[in-house]
Amino acid sequence: MQSSIKRVLLLGSGYMSESVADFILRRPENHVLIASDKLHEAKAVAEKFKRCEYTQLDVTNQKELLPLVEKSDIVISYVPAFLHPHVLKACLTAKKHMITASYVSPDMAAAHEEAKSKGLVFLNELGVDPGIDHMATMKIVDEVHEKGGKILEFYSYCGGLPSPQDCDNPLGYKFSWSPIGAVRAMTNSAKFLKSDKVVEIPNADLLFTVHDVKLNNALTLESLPNRDSVKYIDLYKMAGASSFFRGTLRYKGFCLIMRSAREIGLLREIPVSYLSSVTSWKQLIERLVAEQTPDEQGCFINQSDRKQIIESVGFAPDAAKTADKILVIAFSNKNYSKTSRETLMENATLLLNAFRWLGFFDENQKITPGKTYLEVYCSLLEQKLVFKKDEADAIFMQHIFKIDWGDKYEIRKSTLICIGEKGKRSAMALTVGFPTGIGAQLVLDGKITTPGVSIPIAKEQYEPILKILEENGIALKETSEYIYRPKL
C-alpha cells in the first residue's frame, strides 16, 4: 500500500552512506533520498540500489533543506558534525526524527527539551566509537547490576586500523579520509581514573602515555588515552569504580613515530615561513632541525650509540648529520629518563627507518604546499598512508571489566575484531553504517520511542541494535576468568 512507504533522508554521500543505504533498503517499504553537495558521490551510491534517489543539497541553506526534511519520515545526518545544527533546526521545524553517528554537541544537547516536547527521537553517537562501544559496555553493566555484582575496574579500547595482512608501513596506519583531524587529536590532553585518583595527562605527554593491550594470543596492540574518560563514569553507571580508562588502539610503533614528529616540530599549527624556498622533504627537515639547538648532554642516547644506530640503518654521510640531530631532539624528552638502553636503541632504529620511509632524507620526496607544519605533514601522510583497492581495514575493540561478586572476582573481556571486505565494504563503514541504519529502522518501526536527545545506553536502544548487529556478523565475544576469594 502507498501509505506504508517510509521515506528516509540520508544527508551526506561519503564513506559510510553506502552501508546505511544497504541496510535501510533491505525493507521493501523503505525509500532513500541521498542529498549531498557532492552530486557525483551521491549518484554513485544511489545507482547501486533500487528505491534510492539522489539530489544536490547545500545543507546550510534552509530553503533547500527544509522541504526535503518535511517529505521524510526520518533524517540520517552524515554531514560533518559542525553542520548538524542546520539539520537539527530543520528537523525541529518539520517535527522529524534525527539519527547521527556524531558525539552530542552543545547545540544538540540544548535541543533536548524541545525535541522531547514534540515527541521526536534524536539518537546520536550511533556508530562504532562512539556507538557500539556504548552499547556493548552498557549490556554488561546492566547485567552485572541486575545480578548484584559491582564493577571495580573498567578499561575500554577501540581503534580503526589496516587489517593485519595489510599493515605494511612503519606507522601501521592508513587513512581513507583527510588525516588532519586524527593527527590533531594527538595533541589533546587526557584524563582517566586510576586506583581512585584522577590522572591528568597534558597534551605534551599524551603520546608517551602508552601501554600494551593483548586482544588475544595472536594480537597485541598499544593504547593511548582517549580524551576525558572521567565524564563517562556516571553515564556508564560505574560510580565507585577505582579505575576507569578509555583508550585508542594503534599498532606498536605508531605512538613513537608520531611523538617524535611532534618533538621535531611537525605537529605545530604555525606557518612554515620558509616553505617557498624549499621543495623537498629533505630540505624541509634539514631546515627544521637546524632551527633547534638541543643540548646533546640531555639526550638519553649517547653519541656512541647514536653513531652505531645511524650506521646500522645505513645513512649516506650527508644524511647522517640530520639523522643524529633528529635523535638528539626526539630522545631528549624527560619521558625517556627511565627507558632502558636496549629499548632506546630499538626505538631509535625504528624511528629512523620510519622517517626514511616517509621520505625525510629524500630529495625526490616533494612537498605538497600547506599553510602550517601540521598541514604539510598531513599532506605527506595522506600520500604515503593510503589503502589500495585490494586492501582491507579492521576494527578492534575490547572492554575489560573487573567485577566483584562477593565470593569471587571476575575478569570479563568483550572483544570485537571486524575485518573489512577487500575491495568492497570496509570494517569502518560496516561498524558505523549498520548501527546508524539499524537505529533508524527501529525508530521507524516504533521500537525505539523515548523522545529527546539521547545516546544508545538504554536497554530499549542497545538490546535490539546489538541483536541485529549480531545477526549481520558484527558481534563481541565475551570471555571470563575468575579469582576466588579464600574462605576465612
Side-chain angles (χ1 to χ4, degrees):
M1 293 176 60
Q2 189 71 17
S3 60
S4 67
I5 289 176
K6 298 294 183 182
R7 301 194 181 279
V8 178
L9 176 61
L10 174 55
L11 299 177
S13 55
Y15 197 47
M16 315 301 172
S17 58
E18 184 175 337
S19 292
V20 179
D22 177 26
F23 184 84
I24 292 292
L25 290 168
R26 293 179 184 183
R27 293 276 287 270
E29 71 272 22
N30 290 341
H31 290 244
V32 172
L33 174 63
I34 302 175
S36 171
D37 62 340
K38 298 179 177 63
L39 190 63
H40 66 286
E41 289 184 358
K43 181 175 183 289
V45 175
E47 288 180 343
K48 296 180 180 181
F49 303 99
K50 296 179 180 179
R51 295 173 280 109
C52 190
E53 299 175 345
Y54 63 94
T55 189
Q56 189 150 16
L57 171 69
D58 174 4
V59 77
T60 67
N61 187 334
Q62 287 289 312
K63 290 182 180 179
E64 291 184 21
L65 176 61
L66 186 57
L68 299 181
V69 174
E70 288 174 334
K71 294 175 184 176
S72 305
D73 295 289
I74 194 167
V75 177
I76 299 174
S77 183
Y78 267 154
V79 298
F82 71 90
L83 294 174
H84 284 324
H86 300 284
V87 184
L88 179 64
K89 179 181 178 181
C91 288
L92 288 170
T93 300
K95 297 183 180 180
K96 302 296 180 179
H97 304 298
M98 179 178 174
I99 309 290
T100 85
S102 301
Y103 285 104
V104 172
S105 66
D107 287 321
M108 180 65 74
H112 174 69
E113 290 302 328
E114 184 177 354
K116 184 177 179 181
S117 68
K118 293 180 176 179
L120 301 177
V121 176
F122 282 7
L123 183 53
N124 301 269
E125 302 189 21
L126 198 52
V128 58
D129 179 3
I132 294 177
D133 59 340
H134 292 327
M135 296 185 284
T137 297
M138 293 311 301
K139 171 183 175 292
I140 293 176
V141 169
D142 286 344
E143 286 176 1
V144 170
H145 289 169
E146 287 169 6
K147 294 178 181 179
K150 180 181 179 181
I151 297 171
L152 303 178
E153 298 176 20
F154 173 72
Y155 307 89
S156 174
Y157 306 99
C158 187
L161 299 165
S163 64
Q165 66 266 35
D166 293 317
C167 179
D168 55 5
N169 67 64
L171 286 89
Y173 202 79
K174 294 182 181 181
F175 294 97
S176 297
W177 55 84
S178 173
I180 196 163
V183 177
R184 197 176 268 141
M186 295 165 211
T187 63
N188 291 326
S189 57
K191 186 190 298 186
F192 54 89
L193 187 67
K194 182 178 182 181
S195 301
D196 291 315
K197 294 182 179 179
V198 174
V199 179
E200 298 195 41
I201 306 297
N203 56 12
D205 294 336
L206 181 71
L207 288 163
F208 288 93
T209 311
V210 177
H211 64 268
D212 287 351
V213 177
K214 186 178 180 181
L215 284 185
N216 57 33
N217 289 336
L219 188 61
T220 298
L221 303 176
E222 64 184 20
S223 172
L224 64 155
N226 184 3
R227 304 196 187 193
D228 182 2
S229 297
V230 176
K231 69 180 183 180
Y232 287 91
I233 295 174
D234 290 337
L235 195 67
Y236 284 177
K237 305 178 190 175
M238 292 193 210
S242 62
S243 294
F244 189 102
F245 180 92
R246 297 176 77 247
T248 300
L249 293 174
R250 294 291 182 259
Y251 286 115
K252 287 190 173 185
F254 177 88
C255 292
L256 164 69
I257 296 163
M258 294 305 295
R259 70 185 178 233
S260 300
R262 178 186 176 119
E263 291 296 304
I264 67 172
L266 286 174
L267 304 194
R268 293 179 295 171
E269 296 200 61
I270 60 175
V272 186
S273 59
Y274 47 80
L275 190 58
S276 60
S277 63
V278 296
T279 59
S280 71
W281 268 93
K282 181 176 184 292
Q283 294 172 19
L284 177 60
I285 294 298
E286 287 172 352
R287 289 285 296 269
L288 191 61
V289 300
E291 292 176 346
Q292 305 183 51
T293 56
D295 180 5
E296 288 194 24
Q297 299 302 314
C299 180
F300 293 101
I301 306 176
N302 64 48
Q303 186 178 23
S304 175
D305 284 348
R306 296 198 308 272
K307 182 179 178 183
Q308 180 182 333
I309 292 162
I310 291 167
E311 288 176 350
S312 71
V313 175
F315 282 106
D318 66 323
K321 184 177 180 180
T322 302
D324 185 65
K325 193 76 175 285
I326 287 172
L327 293 183
V328 172
I329 296 168
F331 289 93
S332 292
N333 190 290
K334 68 182 189 309
N335 286 287
Y336 286 114
S337 61
K338 297 181 181 180
T339 307
S340 69
R341 175 175 177 267
E342 180 183 10
T343 299
L344 285 169
M345 293 188 72
E346 287 178 359
N347 286 352
T349 302
L350 189 157
L351 176 64
L352 290 183
N353 277 313
F355 277 5
R356 181 165 63 179
W357 182 86
L358 284 167
F360 286 5
F361 306 96
D362 186 357
E363 193 65 52
N364 295 316
Q365 183 68 53
K366 300 304 179 183
I367 292 174
T368 301
K371 294 180 181 178
T372 66
Y373 289 97
L374 178 65
E375 288 181 8
V376 174
Y377 181 50
C378 286
S379 293
L380 177 67
L381 297 181
E382 195 167 8
Q383 294 171 34
K384 303 284 282 189
L385 307 181
V386 62
F387 281 101
K388 298 173 184 174
K389 287 185 178 181
D390 61 343
E391 293 182 337
D393 69 334
I395 294 292
F396 301 113
M397 180 183 292
Q398 186 170 80
H399 304 308
I400 304 173
F401 300 79
K402 183 177 181 181
I403 305 165
D404 185 354
W405 291 110
D407 62 331
K408 60 183 177 289
Y409 296 113
E410 177 188 358
I411 307 299
R412 189 183 303 187
K413 294 183 179 180
S414 176
T415 306
L416 171 68
I417 298 177
C418 178
I419 307 296
E421 304 166 352
K422 283 182 176 284
K424 298 179 182 178
R425 295 178 300 184
S426 68
M428 183 69 75
L430 289 169
T431 55
V432 174
F434 271 27
T436 311
I438 293 167
Q441 187 62 63
L442 290 169
V443 173
L444 288 172
D445 291 343
K447 294 180 179 178
I448 291 179
T449 58
T450 303
V453 174
S454 66
I455 64 174
I457 56 174
K459 184 176 285 191
E460 175 206 45
Q461 298 163 329
Y462 71 70
E463 198 167 63
I465 295 174
L466 288 175
K467 180 176 183 295
I468 297 171
L469 282 172
E470 184 171 3
E471 292 169 354
N472 284 273
I474 301 172
L476 287 93
K477 180 180 179 180
E478 294 184 15
T479 59
S480 292
E481 296 179 1
Y482 293 92
I483 304 169
Y484 287 86
R485 288 175 168 168
K487 293 182 179 179
L488 299 177

